Amino acid sequence: MPLVGRFVREVLRREDARDRRRAFYEVNRRMITAMVDDVVQTTLGRLEAERPATVDGITLAKRPTVTFSEGMAHELRALRSFLFAEVYRHERLMRPMRHAEAIVEDLFQRYSADPSLLPGERGLVFGKLDAGVRARAICDFIAGMTDRFAIAEHRRLFDVTPDLG
């Protein structure tokens, strides 16, 4: 990754690069500084070229006024693509995500089929609602659950609960 690589190389040349936390912080700090500098310089250049007289001049401009340079935008697209492929969508993260989705889906299906299984008075109240309104209320209830509560509810209602660890 060119954007990250140049800062990693700079930081690793320093004496205190053995402190991994400090090095990580320093790489991030330098990347953010470079991105801010780039967007400021690009914006100033575009303002100089366009010379808008009013806010409408900026709003109606044919291209964005506040933006990254093409080079920085290209580097950020490459970084974003790498992060999605290798970090955000990595199997180690996606497996627990699929298990969590299964827990939510199971809870919704079970509560929808039998609202009396909802904790407390909800079962009585939700059971009297129109099916569409009940589905929305169940969704809202599940959305408000903490992870621990959702897992505990799943364990209460099902024989097997996926491991999110």
Side-chain angles (χ1 to χ4, degrees):
M1 303 281 38
L3 178 61
V4 178
R6 74 172 170 259
F7 299 114
V8 168
R9 284 187 296 279
E10 286 176 14
V11 169
L12 290 179
R13 283 187 209 117
R14 296 174 45 160
E15 279 291 317
D16 59 351
R18 282 169 264 142
D19 180 351
R20 292 176 68 94
R21 281 187 19 194
R22 177 74 181 141
F24 182 78
Y25 165 81
E26 189 62 26
V27 168
N28 281 321
R29 188 187 69 74
R30 289 176 186 217
M31 281 178 41
I32 292 168
T33 299
M35 288 186 285
V36 169
D37 288 347
D38 182 86
V39 79
V40 167
Q41 292 307 310
T42 303
T43 301
L44 290 173
R46 289 191 176 193
L47 286 170
E48 182 66 30
E50 299 291 328
R51 296 195 176 277
T54 66
V55 172
D56 288 339
I58 293 172
T59 304
L60 300 173
K62 292 184 180 6
R63 62 184 184 166
T65 303
V66 179
T67 188
F68 290 111
S69 67
E70 281 301 314
M72 181 62 77
H74 175 75
E75 287 182 305
L76 287 171
R77 281 191 299 274
L79 177 59
R80 205 170 282 124
S81 177
F82 171 82
L83 289 172
F84 270 96
E86 301 298 327
V87 178
Y88 307 144
R89 300 288 182 207
H90 191 278
E91 183 56 27
R92 274 193 358 227
L93 294 177
M94 294 309 295
R95 188 178 315 112
M97 182 67 70
R98 285 191 297 275
H99 291 315
E101 289 169 351
I103 288 172
V104 169
E105 187 174 336
D106 288 348
L107 289 174
F108 178 80
Q109 295 300 330
R110 184 62 57 94
Y111 290 150
S112 294
D114 187 356
S116 70
L117 294 173
L118 284 152
E121 299 293 316
R122 285 180 189 83
L124 296 171
V125 174
F126 287 17
K128 295 176 185 175
L129 299 173
D130 171 70
V133 176
R134 181 173 51 244
R136 176 79 263 153
I138 291 169
C139 285
D140 291 344
F141 174 66
I142 294 171
M145 290 180 174
T146 64
D147 293 350
R148 284 185 184 170
F149 183 74
I151 292 166
E153 275 296 281
H154 195 277
R155 285 190 180 123
R156 180 177 73 86
L157 299 171
F158 296 91
D159 293 333
V160 177
T161 296
D163 180 20
L164 300 183

